[in-house]
Amino acid sequence: MSLINVRPESAYFPPNRRPESTPNEKDEYSYVYPALPIKHHEKHFKSPEVVRDIVIGLSDGLTVPFALAAGLANFGDPTLVVTAGLAELVSGAISMGLGGYLGAKSEADHYDSERKREEKEVEECLDEEIQEVIDILVPYGIDRCTLQPLINKMVSNPEKFVDFMMKFELNLEKPDPRRIWISAITIGTSYFIGGLIPLLPYFFVSDSGTGLWMSIIVTVCCLAAFGYAKSYFVSKRRALMGALQTAMVGILAAGAAFGLVRLIEQRNISHEE
């Protein structure tokens, strides 16, 4: 069909809002094609759990080994810093990964136990569960008469009824079965990568003092960039503040470790004298 016979305004007006045809218009121009639907793309942040695990792993990885290396730098031996730092890095990554595994496992177990409890309540206390559905939806302006067909449909499908109650009453989403291992690997790997950054300068210097300053510069820059990126996804206006806060946390942790080791070292020297 040729597009010549289509009025230009037909591309802009949906069927229920198209302009009225005038009697003088020819029949061949009287038909108006419905407007094409406008494609709507919603940009939502996906995989928040993975991002959360990365944030947990990197924030600890950039802070704890950094503080440890700063404290050990007082002894003046880069080899000691590297050896002890790598030992902490490996054990810390395993510990963090195990923590992520146990956390995700507990979340899945909690969901399963709550679902079994909800299934029992739907089976034994159906009237009370129906009232809970009403209590959930009435605040949104939906009355009992409007809800009745929905309630009848849900009662006919107990599994979907339980799905509804899990989501809207308990605010629980079914965890991904792969989430347990993904969380463990993500947190452990992020910790190892983050913790390797403050240790890298000590691999290339023979003086721990020089390595300490190089480690401080590199790690603070990474902490600031990490804090900026983390805050940018939440609020662009607070991205700079997030960078400063994250960098300050790392500096304070490293300063505390460095000062504690220096204090112990000075006390040992004074006791020997």
Side-chain angles (χ1 to χ4, degrees), residues 21 47 182 235:
S21 301
S47 302
I182 291 176
S235 174

Side-chain angles (χ1 to χ4, degrees), residues 56-221:
I56 293 173
L58 279 178
S59 60
D60 280 5
L62 284 168
T63 305
V64 177
F66 177 43
L68 175 65
L72 293 176
N74 278 292
F75 294 105
D77 186 0
T79 304
L80 175 64
V81 176
V82 171
T83 304
L86 288 176
E88 192 283 331
L89 198 57
V90 173
S91 60
I94 295 174
S95 176
M96 292 290 291
L98 181 60
Y101 172 87
L102 294 176
K105 184 70 166 58
S106 298
E107 182 181 350
D109 292 342
H110 174 64
Y111 179 88
D112 291 338
S113 64
E114 289 296 328
R115 185 174 182 88
K116 291 178 181 178
R117 184 180 294 109
E118 198 64 38
E119 288 173 351
K120 185 177 180 181
E121 291 177 355
V122 170
E123 181 180 355
E124 299 178 356
C125 310
L126 183 58
D127 292 339
E128 288 80 358
E129 294 298 303
I130 291 174
Q131 185 59 47
E132 289 179 0
V133 173
I134 296 172
D135 294 339
I136 291 171
L137 296 178
V138 163
Y140 294 95
I142 307 175
D143 55 33
R144 177 67 183 261
C145 295
T146 306
L147 285 175
Q148 195 58 51
L150 173 63
I151 292 173
N152 295 338
K153 189 69 175 177
M154 292 173 63
V155 170
S156 65
N157 192 336
E159 183 177 355
K160 295 299 181 182
F161 199 145
V162 174
D163 290 340
F164 178 89
M165 300 304 289
M166 293 295 293
K167 183 175 180 64
F168 294 99
E169 182 193 15
L170 303 178
N171 295 320
L172 292 176
E173 296 281 352
K174 184 177 181 180
D176 187 346
R178 301 171 300 174
R179 168 77 185 141
I180 297 175
W181 292 105
I182 291 176
S183 179
I185 294 173
T186 303
I187 294 178
T189 304
S190 300
Y191 183 91
F192 186 86
I193 294 174
L196 194 60
I197 292 174
L199 292 179
L200 285 177
Y202 296 98
F203 284 92
F204 306 103
V205 297
S206 56
D207 177 41
S208 61
T210 304
L212 174 62
W213 285 109
M214 292 175 61
S215 177
I216 291 174
I217 294 172
V218 172
T219 307
V220 169
C221 290

Side-chain angles (χ1 to χ4, degrees), residues 220-236:
V220 169
C221 290
C222 289
L223 282 168
F226 170 68
Y228 184 91
K230 179 182 64 176
S231 301
Y232 182 85
F233 287 106
V234 179
S235 174
K236 295 180 181 180

